[in-house]
Amino acid sequence: ELRIYFIALLLVTIVGTITYVLITHNFNTIGRYLTISVDSRSLQERLLYYKDAIPLILKYPFGMGYMGYSYIQPQIQTGIYQAAYVHNDYLQLILDIGIIPTIIFGVAMAKSIISKNNSKSLKLFLLTIALHILLDFELQFLIIFLILVISLDIWSGKEFEFEVSKMVVIVTGSIFIAIYLYFALTTFFHYIEKDEISAKMYPIYTEANIQIADKYMKIEDLINANKIASKILETNKELGMAHNIKAYYYLNNNNWNLMAQSKKRHLDINKYDINEYENYVLMLSQAIEYYAKNDEMEKAMEYVKQVVEVPSIIEKVKSSTSNIAYELKEVPNFELKENVQKYILTMKGVLEND
């Protein structure tokens, strides 16, 4: 009867997943399990994730907090990819909460797999999870994590009893539930694209502020977009989009020095977007033209130098790019458009004749 129950449950899960994907076309949640592949490119991409992420362990031994990796990742990547998670839950735990908690988690997993208190089927389940999270991020799905927790060996070891009054339990529990519901509502408003409400409830909610800033940029409201970008950068200096918004704001106000600084910071973060290097050259050309018209040639030459430096910036990124990057689906492009290359050569000539 138990086998029949599990077979029925499995069939319902599979049918439900397929139905969900057919209706929503969303492979990013439960539909993800329909896209599992051992494709060599997929494996190479994961290896590149690991190669780029491992040095962060030494830099952040106590972790970067939840989703911290997703903001740092564009700066440390040595190929073109977008990954909110590193596709290895052990490595992800280290990046999120640090080395020591991850070791404790690993010990708990190993202890439960060899524990006499767990059945063979439960041990097999835990071993399967333990191995599979080496190549994926199942634990980022809360339901998988909770199932794993209740499957661990919690029966062995010493027992401790704490005497706490019923009132303390009720009050403490109520506070935690209230906090949970508040932030659940905050993220819900973000989910239904009511980001203004979400940001009012939680002013430093980066994802909501990103959407608000993007809305302002689409209607070319640079003043309000800049305000939101400044707000984001107060708590998250690793977001390239915010630096880019500020660059365009400064460009619009002829503040050429801050424009160049903000755009350079944007390129440090989004270093594989060749179009942004071309935009940078265009922005610098406007600074050169502005100062040339005002007969301030010394200041104009400062931006001529920055234009001439662009190929060396690109070359530096190219030299740091992993060989694996050229085996992936999206190969890095370091070739500027012909008209941009010609402009850079012209500015190089101006600099040499100065």
Side-chain angles (χ1 to χ4, degrees):
E1 290 181 3
L2 190 59
R3 288 182 180 179
I4 294 173
Y5 170 78
F6 278 115
I7 291 171
L9 182 62
L10 180 63
L11 289 173
V12 169
T13 302
I14 293 172
V15 171
T17 301
I18 294 172
T19 304
Y20 173 82
V21 170
L22 289 174
I23 294 173
T24 65
H25 304 286
N26 180 3
F27 284 90
N28 293 322
T29 51
I30 58 173
R32 174 179 174 77
Y33 294 99
L34 299 179
T35 65
I36 292 174
S37 170
V38 291
D39 179 74
S40 61
R41 282 185 178 177
S42 177
L43 180 59
Q44 286 176 323
E45 193 166 308
R46 281 168 166 76
L47 292 175
L48 189 57
Y49 296 164
Y50 309 154
K51 174 185 173 293
D52 291 345
I54 286 173
L56 291 173
I57 296 173
L58 295 176
K59 191 174 181 181
Y60 302 98
F62 299 104
M64 296 179 285
Y66 180 64
M67 297 303 291
Y69 164 77
S70 66
Y71 292 112
I72 294 289
Q73 172 260 311
Q75 298 177 62
I76 55 93
Q77 66 187 96
T78 56
I80 298 179
Y81 59 83
Q82 291 182 335
Y85 307 105
V86 76
H87 285 70
N88 178 314
D89 271 321
Y90 299 108
L91 185 52
Q92 187 70 51
L93 281 171
I94 295 174
L95 295 172
D96 286 350
I97 60 177
I99 297 171
I100 296 174
T102 304
I103 291 173
I104 294 171
F105 170 79
V107 170
M109 283 284 288
K111 184 174 178 294
S112 296
I113 290 170
I114 63 174
S115 174
K116 294 179 180 179
N117 295 320
N118 284 341
S119 64
K120 288 183 179 179
S121 58
L122 192 54
K123 289 179 181 180
L124 183 60
F125 166 74
L126 290 170
L127 181 61
T128 302
I129 293 292
L131 293 175
H132 197 263
I133 61 178
L134 283 167
L135 292 171
D136 223 322
F137 53 94
E138 272 93 344
L139 300 187
Q140 302 307 314
F141 298 99
L142 184 59
I143 186 64
I144 301 295
F145 181 76
L146 292 177
I147 290 173
L148 177 62
V149 169
I150 63 175
S151 301
L152 295 176
D153 178 15
I154 59 174
W155 306 110
S156 61
K158 295 181 180 179
E159 291 186 5
F160 294 91
E161 291 186 6
F162 298 93
E163 292 186 6
V164 181
S165 68
K166 187 176 180 181
M167 183 56 67
V168 170
V169 173
I170 293 172
V171 171
T172 305
S174 298
I175 291 171
F176 276 106
I177 290 171
I179 293 172
Y180 173 82
L181 291 175
Y182 183 85
F183 284 103
L185 192 60
T186 301
T187 54
F188 173 73
F189 280 123
H190 169 60
Y191 179 77
I192 62 173
E193 300 182 358
K194 300 293 182 182
D195 294 292
E196 289 78 7
I197 299 174
S198 183
K200 283 181 180 179
M201 294 179 69
Y202 188 37
I204 61 172
Y205 188 12
T206 300
E207 293 302 319
N209 284 318
I210 287 173
Q211 295 304 318
I212 296 170
D214 187 53
K215 289 175 185 176
Y216 283 132
M217 287 298 288
K218 286 178 180 177
I219 61 173
E220 299 183 0
D221 185 350
L222 286 171
I223 294 175
N224 281 312
N226 178 63
K227 288 179 181 177
I228 300 299
S230 297
K231 184 179 177 182
I232 291 171
L233 292 173
E234 286 176 5
T235 55
N236 187 348
K237 297 186 183 299
E238 315 302 332
L239 192 65
M241 174 193 179
H243 291 286
N244 198 38
I245 289 171
K246 295 194 75 66
Y248 279 103
Y249 172 78
Y250 293 132
L251 174 74
N252 194 55
N253 288 277
N254 296 336
N255 192 332
W256 308 108
N257 184 42
L258 290 178
M259 174 276 291
Q261 289 180 27
S262 296
K263 192 62 184 176
K264 274 185 178 178
R265 184 69 185 112
H266 175 230
L267 291 175
D268 287 340
I269 297 171
N270 298 83
K271 56 187 178 181
Y272 284 103
D273 192 340
I274 196 67
N275 294 322
E276 292 303 332
Y277 290 98
E278 293 169 348
N279 290 337
Y280 179 45
V281 172
L282 178 61
M283 295 164 89
L284 292 173
S285 72
Q286 293 180 54
I288 294 167
E289 185 179 346
Y290 175 85
Y291 284 118
K293 282 183 178 180
N294 289 281
D295 293 322
E296 297 182 70
M297 294 310 298
E298 188 175 337
K299 289 185 177 179
M301 292 306 293
E302 292 178 12
Y303 296 96
V304 169
K305 290 177 183 177
Q306 292 185 53
V307 168
V308 174
E309 289 172 356
V310 170
S312 62
I313 295 172
I314 296 173
E315 187 58 36
K316 187 177 179 181
V317 175
K318 185 177 181 179
S319 64
S320 67
T321 299
S322 171
N323 291 331
I324 299 174
Y326 298 99
E327 303 296 328
L328 304 182
K329 186 175 182 180
E330 191 172 357
V331 177
N333 172 29
F334 299 106
E335 193 76 19
L336 293 166
K337 290 178 183 175
E338 188 177 348
N339 63 318
V340 177
Q341 292 184 45
K342 287 181 178 179
Y343 181 77
I344 293 173
L345 286 174
T346 301
M347 291 300 102
K348 189 176 181 180
V350 170
L351 190 62
E352 290 172 351
N353 294 327
D354 182 48

